[in-house]
Amino acid sequence: MNSHRRNEQQVVWTVVGTDLGPLLLAATPHGLVNVVFHASDAVRDKALDRLGSRLGGEPVEAPGSPLLAEAIRQLEAYFAGERRDFDLLLDWSLVSGFNRQVLRELDSGVPFGSVVAYGDLAGRVGQPGAAQAVGVAMGSNPLPVVVPCHRVVESDGGIGGFGGGLETKRKLLALEGVLPEPLF
């Protein structure tokens, strides 16, 4: 085996249907590594190219993989309103530095049904005044839904931005009881 091959990680993926539309899930032997909203063919292909270049090797479609099974089960239960917390191995290799620190704090410190302001989250990681940097970290989140960046909002009560689109953020916050269900 050459040295290039040893540095490659096995990446398996599948697309699952949800009330939010198709989600691409990708995992390595270290855990769930990527969740991608609106996984149309074009979005899926772009995400897989990015994963391949970042982690090495060609991601393999494997909907029955044991590496994905628990993530699929827990996400289905979450969207069915039967699960509030995720208990999954996460592979953090797509994010580093400040962004990883912020996302890990978000993952462990902002429970289902609650929200936190960008600035408050910055303060929790010892960087008061870094609200914009927290926004950048949310935009770089490779594990949305599971690492709940939808729970980060503006301090003035605004919903803030969201990589999956504002309608998706509203639906996730409604699922968690933070916002009322849309009327139509």
Side-chain angles (χ1 to χ4, degrees), residues 46 84-85:
K46 183 177 178 182
R84 297 169 62 101
D85 302 303

Side-chain angles (χ1 to χ4, degrees), residues 110-164:
V110 183
F112 181 96
S114 65
V115 294
V116 64
Y118 293 94
D120 292 341
L121 190 53
R124 288 186 187 191
V125 297
Q127 298 293 325
Q132 285 185 318
V134 167
V136 171
M138 295 306 101
S140 74
N141 182 3
L143 296 161
V145 182
V146 176
V147 177
C149 53
H150 59 278
R151 297 180 189 154
V152 183
V153 297
E154 296 173 347
S155 60
D156 65 2
I159 195 169
F162 193 64

Side-chain angles (χ1 to χ4, degrees), residues 7 11 15 19 31-32 44 46 52 59 68 74 80 90 104 107 111-113 136 139 148-149 158 163 165 168 184:
N7 292 330
V11 180
V15 173
D19 291 344
L32 188 66
R44 180 199 67 214
K46 183 177 178 182
L68 293 166
Q74 289 189 29
L90 301 178
R104 288 178 81 99
D107 184 44
F112 181 96
V136 171
C149 53
T168 299
F184 46 88

Side-chain angles (χ1 to χ4, degrees), residues 11-181:
V11 180
V12 294
W13 65 274
T14 193
V15 173
V16 296
T18 72
D19 291 344
L20 301 175
L23 287 181
L24 180 140
L25 306 178
T28 71
H30 302 290
L32 188 66
V33 72
N34 205 195
V35 176
V36 179
F37 288 111
H38 316 299
S40 64
D41 291 348
V43 169
R44 180 199 67 214
D45 292 347
K46 183 177 178 182
L48 294 173
D49 286 346
R50 189 173 52 245
L51 277 171
S53 68
R54 294 278 308 273
L55 300 177
E58 183 74 25
V60 176
E61 184 174 15
S65 171
L67 297 175
L68 293 166
E70 187 61 17
I72 293 168
R73 189 184 72 70
Q74 289 189 29
L75 279 161
E76 287 174 347
Y78 171 82
F79 285 114
E82 301 164 357
R83 182 171 202 90
R84 297 169 62 101
D85 302 303
F86 294 99
D87 184 20
L88 296 169
L89 288 176
L90 301 178
D91 181 336
W92 294 95
S93 62
L94 294 177
V95 63
S96 62
F98 177 78
N99 291 357
R100 182 186 289 190
Q101 182 184 11
V102 168
L103 290 169
R104 288 178 81 99
E105 172 60 30
L106 173 65
D107 184 44
S108 65
V110 183
F112 181 96
S114 65
V115 294
V116 64
Y118 293 94
D120 292 341
L121 190 53
R124 288 186 187 191
V125 297
Q127 298 293 325
Q132 285 185 318
V134 167
V136 171
M138 295 306 101
S140 74
N141 182 3
L143 296 161
V145 182
V146 176
V147 177
C149 53
H150 59 278
R151 297 180 189 154
V152 183
V153 297
E154 296 173 347
S155 60
D156 65 2
I159 195 169
F162 193 64
L166 292 181
E167 188 57 30
T168 299
K169 186 172 188 173
R170 283 186 190 97
K171 287 179 180 178
L172 287 166
L173 291 172
L175 174 72
E176 295 190 8
V178 175
L179 292 176
E181 290 288 337

Side-chain angles (χ1 to χ4, degrees), residues 1-9 52-53 55-58:
M1 177 186 285
N2 67 39
S3 63
H4 176 71
R5 272 282 210 222
R6 279 195 301 264
N7 292 330
E8 291 180 358
Q9 284 196 59
S53 68
L55 300 177
E58 183 74 25

